[in-house]
């Protein structure tokens, strides 16, 4: 289907094995009886909505049961209390907590944690103000209300995470139609493959490389005939979502296409080229009906930099104290396994291009750098990076440390020394850094991090140029909560033994 413009009629005919005439009697609405029933896409969305609603009910129940066990007294919801919980969940429905997943390809629980904090706060506040009216067994004390608030937040996040994973496991892949050029189609396919939290596949694509052919096809995109053709295409291929990269489409025709797709029950995701560059680093401004996007600045303000540094110092210090026995045990294992020092200090490029020594547990034999040139033909990374999955220079203990990412722990010393941050751009070695040019070098305005948005994707799979764009977006969108989310996702990746 790629390689030239194909109309929905041609695509549907190829699927059915025979050509047919467009149905001119079709209308923009969903008139047919079978479209009154739930389509596969609608059933998929219902699965996520109902799973999340059930998860929230379970979370409230588990929080109250756990509170009863911890406080050693019988606490249970009254009928009024159960109605109050339902009222809170209905409020969550109004706020979009159950409909958000239908609009998203990548479904994640961490991004909605601030909204779940509001739900937990409202639930705990209602339990406190209502006294024994909501909870049988006596009014809650201040300490019990605070504990209930924490339990509600924990169980809401955990139950929603579990419900989404279960729904993703049960639901079939979301079938997508891509409308855009070949390069964008290739990029989207690669992003969808093996992406945790995403279960979708591109089943067909329309190449917009030929602008004249596209213009001829889309001139009457919202006519009755075109709606009928696209509706038949959606039925024949069971398309549930369209992903559009509209860099060659005029705004008016783009709107026609979106309206047409939505009219036949197909969800629409748009990949505008501007947002590929600035990502979510924008603030929408309304000038009397005209939407203007304000681009956030790249450099952190003084207060933001101070908050980030304080967070790093507290986190690194607590981490070193908590992990001290683990660090000592790893050091002993390294000395017993092979000759050489416990730590390996590698020259890296840090903030403003200054070089520093990055601490790591030694995972290779001595003289590993001298062996690098002889192994370049086995390099699996791209664009100047060097990474081998089964590196022969790695020791037995080193292989275990790398698999669990424990070799990265000594970088906590770099954080305390002010050479690194807990979260930030990856510090590159000198021969890798020389491949970073142009505006991508603005990544050096930030302190390099132990982990970051690029690292949790897996550096062997992300090209160096894309890494620069990801680091830029991280800086433009920086927030303390964003750093916390990256750290939590790093823990998940380490536990899953995906490595950094």
């Amino acid at each position: 289907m790629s390689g030239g413009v194909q109309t929905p009629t041609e695509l549907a005919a190829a699927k059915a094995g025979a050509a047919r005439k467009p149905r001119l009697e079709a209308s923009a609405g969903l008139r047919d009886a079978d479209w009154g029933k739930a389509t596969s896409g609608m059933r998929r969305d219902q699965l996520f909505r109902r799973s999340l609603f059930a998860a929230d009910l379970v979370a409230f129940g588990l929080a109250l049961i756990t509170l009863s066990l911890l406080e050693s007294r019988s606490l249970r919801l009254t009928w009024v209390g159960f109605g109050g919980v339902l009222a809170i969940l209905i409020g969550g429905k109004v706020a979009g907590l159950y409909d958000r997943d239908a609009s998203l390809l990548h479904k994640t629980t961490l991004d909605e944690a601030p909204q779940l904090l509001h739900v937990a706060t409202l639930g705990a506040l209602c339990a406190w103000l209502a006294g024994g009216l909501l909870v049988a067994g006596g009014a809650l004390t201040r300490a019990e209300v605070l504990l209930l608030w924490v339990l509600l937040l924990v169980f809401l996040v955990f139950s929603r995470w579990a419900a989404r994973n279960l729904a993703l496991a049960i639901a079939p892949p979301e079938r997508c139609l891509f409308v855009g050029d070949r390069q964008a189609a290739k990029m989207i396919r690669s992003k969808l493959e093996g992406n945790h939290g995403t279960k979708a596949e591109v089943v067909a694509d329309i190449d917009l490389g030929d602008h004249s052919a596209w213009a001829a096809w889309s001139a009457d995109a919202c006519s009755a005939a075109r709606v009928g053709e696209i509706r038949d295409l959606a039925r024949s291929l069971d398309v549930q979502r369209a992903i559009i990269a509209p860099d060659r489409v005029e705004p008016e025709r783009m709107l026609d296409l979106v309206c047409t797709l939505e009219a036949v029950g197909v969800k629409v995701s748009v990949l505008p080229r501007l947002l590929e560059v600035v990502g979510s680093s924008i603030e929408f401004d309304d000038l009397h009906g005209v939407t203007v996007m304000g681009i956030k600045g790249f450099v952190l303000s003084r207060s933001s930099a101070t908050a980030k540094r304080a967070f790093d110092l507290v986190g690194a210090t607590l981490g070193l104290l908590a992990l001290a026995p683990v660090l000592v045990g790893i050091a002993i294992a390294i000395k017993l396994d092979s000759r050489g020092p416990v730590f390996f200090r590698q020259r890296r490029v840090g903030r403003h291009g200054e070089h520093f020594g990055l601490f790591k547990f030694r995972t290779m034999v001595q003289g590993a750098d001298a062996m690098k040139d002889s192994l370049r033909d086995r390099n699996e990374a791209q664009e100047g990076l060097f990474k081998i999955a089964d590196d022969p220079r790695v020791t037995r203990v080193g292989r275990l440390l790398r698999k669990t990412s424990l070799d990265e722990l000594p970088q906590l010393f770099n954080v305390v020394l002010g050479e690194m941050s807990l979260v930030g751009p990856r510090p590159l070695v000198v021969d890798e850094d020389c491949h970073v040019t142009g505006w991508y070098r603005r990544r050096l305005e930030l302190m390099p991090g132990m982990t970051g948005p690029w690292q949790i994707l897996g550096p062997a799979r992300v090209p160096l140029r894309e890494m620069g764009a990801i680091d830029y977006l991280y800086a433009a969108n920086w927030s303390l909560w964003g750093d916390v989310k990256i750290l939590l996702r790093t823990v998940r990746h380490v536990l899953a033994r995906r490595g950094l």
Side-chain angles (χ1 to χ4, degrees):
M1 295 179 185
S2 297
V5 178
Q6 289 180 284
T7 68
T9 303
E10 294 169 336
L11 285 169
K15 180 73 176 180
R20 51 159 183 79
K21 296 180 179 180
R23 295 176 56 179
L24 299 178
E25 72 277 8
S27 66
L30 305 179
R31 298 188 301 144
D32 292 32
D34 57 337
W35 278 85
K37 304 176 183 178
T39 65
S40 57
M42 293 169 61
R43 290 193 296 270
R44 194 175 190 275
D45 293 340
Q46 288 173 356
L47 173 63
F48 281 95
R49 288 192 188 97
R50 292 169 182 175
S51 297
L52 292 176
F53 189 82
D56 289 347
L57 280 176
V58 170
F60 273 85
L62 288 176
L64 194 59
I65 293 172
T66 305
L67 181 63
S68 300
L69 295 175
L70 293 176
E71 296 299 321
S72 300
R73 69 185 182 112
S74 177
L75 296 171
R76 65 183 186 278
L77 282 176
T78 64
W79 284 108
V80 177
F82 187 75
V85 170
L86 288 179
I88 292 174
L89 298 186
I90 291 173
K93 167 68 176 179
V94 173
L97 276 176
Y98 303 107
D99 299 320
R100 177 174 171 268
D101 283 11
S103 304
L104 301 176
L105 282 162
H106 182 227
K107 308 178 194 306
T108 173
T109 304
L110 276 179
D111 288 340
E112 64 185 12
Q115 288 79 17
L116 297 181
L117 176 63
H118 296 162
V119 174
T121 302
L122 180 60
L125 182 63
C126 290
W128 185 28
L129 295 177
L133 183 63
L134 300 182
V135 180
L140 300 180
T141 65
R142 290 185 179 180
E144 289 173 338
V145 170
L146 180 60
L147 182 57
L148 177 63
W149 175 68
V150 174
L151 291 173
L152 278 175
L153 179 60
V154 170
F155 282 122
L156 281 169
V157 172
F158 178 78
S159 62
R160 281 184 157 244
W161 170 81
R164 279 196 172 96
N165 282 339
L166 180 61
L168 280 172
I170 295 174
E174 188 170 24
R175 299 174 62 83
C176 301
L177 167 68
F178 185 83
V179 181
D181 56 63
R182 289 184 184 179
Q183 184 178 0
K186 182 179 178 181
M187 185 266 293
I188 286 295
R189 288 180 189 272
S190 67
K191 295 295 183 183
L192 293 180
E193 292 175 359
N195 191 335
H196 183 78
T198 303
K199 194 175 182 181
E201 60 182 359
V202 177
V203 297
D205 63 86
I206 300 175
D207 187 2
L208 300 185
D210 187 344
H211 181 75
S212 60
W214 164 252
W217 177 80
S218 63
D220 59 344
C222 267
S223 69
R226 292 306 183 203
V227 170
E229 292 176 3
I230 298 176
R231 181 185 59 188
D232 290 339
L233 171 65
R235 285 176 177 170
S236 63
L237 298 180
D238 193 21
V239 171
Q240 300 156 6
R241 180 184 298 272
I243 305 174
I244 308 173
D247 60 323
R248 289 190 177 95
V249 183
E250 296 178 8
E252 294 80 4
R253 288 181 177 143
M254 172 66 189
L255 182 59
D256 287 344
L257 178 60
V258 171
C259 292
T260 300
L261 290 167
E262 290 186 343
V264 296
V266 176
K267 291 172 289 186
V268 178
S269 296
V270 180
L271 183 70
R273 293 306 189 197
L274 173 63
L275 297 185
E276 282 188 53
V277 178
V278 300
S280 56
S281 59
I282 56 175
E283 293 289 349
F284 287 98
D285 193 8
D286 184 10
L287 295 180
H288 302 288
V290 177
T291 301
V292 180
M293 292 187 294
I295 309 299
K296 297 179 183 177
F298 178 84
V299 181
L300 299 184
S301 66
R302 183 176 299 179
S303 59
S304 296
T306 301
K308 184 174 176 61
R309 180 58 186 157
F311 178 73
D312 289 338
L313 275 176
V314 172
T317 303
L318 293 177
L320 286 171
L321 292 175
L323 296 171
V326 177
L327 298 176
V328 172
I330 293 174
I332 295 173
I334 291 173
K335 293 298 291 183
L336 294 176
D337 182 53
S338 61
R339 294 180 180 180
V342 170
F343 296 108
F344 169 67
R345 198 165 191 189
Q346 189 177 41
R347 193 182 182 198
R348 297 289 183 105
V349 180
R351 190 181 184 191
H352 302 314
E354 297 180 0
H355 295 182
F356 71 98
L358 180 140
F359 287 105
K360 297 182 75 172
F361 280 124
R362 182 175 59 84
T363 59
M364 292 185 175
V365 297
Q366 283 188 295
D369 279 343
M371 302 168 60
K372 190 173 181 179
D373 289 337
S374 63
L375 296 171
R376 288 195 180 276
D377 59 328
R378 298 175 58 180
N379 183 24
E380 300 174 5
Q382 306 177 41
E383 299 182 11
L385 301 181
F386 188 86
K387 191 176 183 68
I388 302 175
D390 190 17
D391 199 319
R393 301 171 296 171
V394 179
T395 63
R396 289 174 299 176
V397 171
R399 191 167 290 108
L400 176 62
L401 293 178
R402 287 188 167 202
K403 190 175 183 180
T404 57
S405 298
L406 292 175
D407 61 318
E408 309 282 350
L409 291 180
Q411 292 169 35
L412 290 170
F413 292 112
N414 292 112
V415 177
V416 173
L417 292 173
E419 298 170 330
M420 291 182 67
S421 175
L422 291 176
V423 181
R426 183 192 180 196
L428 300 176
V429 297
V430 178
D431 58 345
E432 292 175 346
D433 179 72
C434 67
H435 293 275
V436 182
T437 58
W439 66 269
Y440 295 106
R441 294 200 66 79
R442 292 203 67 184
R443 67 192 301 274
L444 297 178
E445 295 181 19
L446 288 182
M447 195 80 74
M450 289 182 62
T451 185
W454 179 47
Q455 290 95 317
I456 60 177
L457 292 175
R461 295 176 296 178
V462 181
L464 193 62
R465 180 174 295 274
E466 187 172 341
M467 172 271 292
I470 292 173
D471 287 338
Y472 178 86
L473 294 179
Y474 163 75
N477 294 303
W478 181 85
S479 69
L480 203 56
W481 169 238
D483 278 5
V484 172
K485 287 196 296 184
I486 290 175
L487 288 171
L488 292 175
R489 284 170 177 157
T490 300
V491 173
R492 184 188 67 193
H493 278 252
V494 171
L495 293 178
R497 294 188 176 182
R498 295 175 184 172
L500 297 180

